[in-house]
Amino acid sequence: QVQLVESGGGLVQAGGSLRLSCAASGLTSSRAAMGWFRQAPGKEREPVATISWGGSNKYYTDSVKGRFTISRDNAKNTVYLQMNSLKPEDTAVYYCAANYFAHIDFDTYDYWGQGTQVTVSS
């Protein structure tokens, strides 16, 4: 049974930083692409950042480029999202997800965490 457990969310002022972590268990192979998605109130869920299984290929949505960094430690089965220069519009529930396809195949993410709230105050 696959489990993805996020941590690190919280309340932060604009301009601040947070680091999200996602601990994965039950994946049959370390060759799973991982990603962070977010959903703000009244909006559809969107991909924020994704990373290939080896870590060499990454995707960022335009609004977070230069501010967010995704990384992974396969030895610890953990993926991270370092979020700097946070803005109020980054406020959302952030979800960790995994798939066994290309990291940019956003529709193929089959495994999801429960989500962690990130709130950025102005």
Side-chain angles (χ1 to χ4, degrees), residues 3-107:
Q3 279 194 315
L4 302 176
V5 180
E6 302 101 335
S7 60
L11 173 64
V12 64
Q13 288 188 332
S17 298
L18 284 174
R19 188 193 196 203
L20 303 184
S21 298
C22 173
S25 62
L27 291 171
T28 57
S29 170
S30 63
R31 296 196 177 199
M34 302 289 293
W36 289 96
F37 295 70
R38 67 186 179 187
Q39 187 166 22
K43 295 187 177 181
E44 292 188 354
R45 187 169 60 194
E46 63 170 347
V48 176
T50 62
I51 187 168
S52 61
W53 69 269
S56 58
N57 296 307
K58 302 176 184 180
Y59 162 88
Y60 297 97
T61 193
D62 285 346
S63 63
V64 308
K65 286 179 180 177
R67 300 188 297 122
F68 290 11
T69 302
I70 188 170
S71 61
R72 66 189 296 167
D73 184 339
N74 286 341
K76 296 181 178 179
N77 293 322
T78 301
V79 63
Y80 306 97
L81 185 67
Q82 178 67 44
M83 305 186 294
N84 298 329
S85 302
L86 282 160
K87 304 175 180 180
E89 50 263 44
D90 294 318
T91 295
V93 178
Y94 284 70
Y95 297 91
C96 174
N99 78 9
Y100 289 111
F101 300 93
H103 69 103
I104 54 173
D105 285 348
F106 304 134
D107 292 336

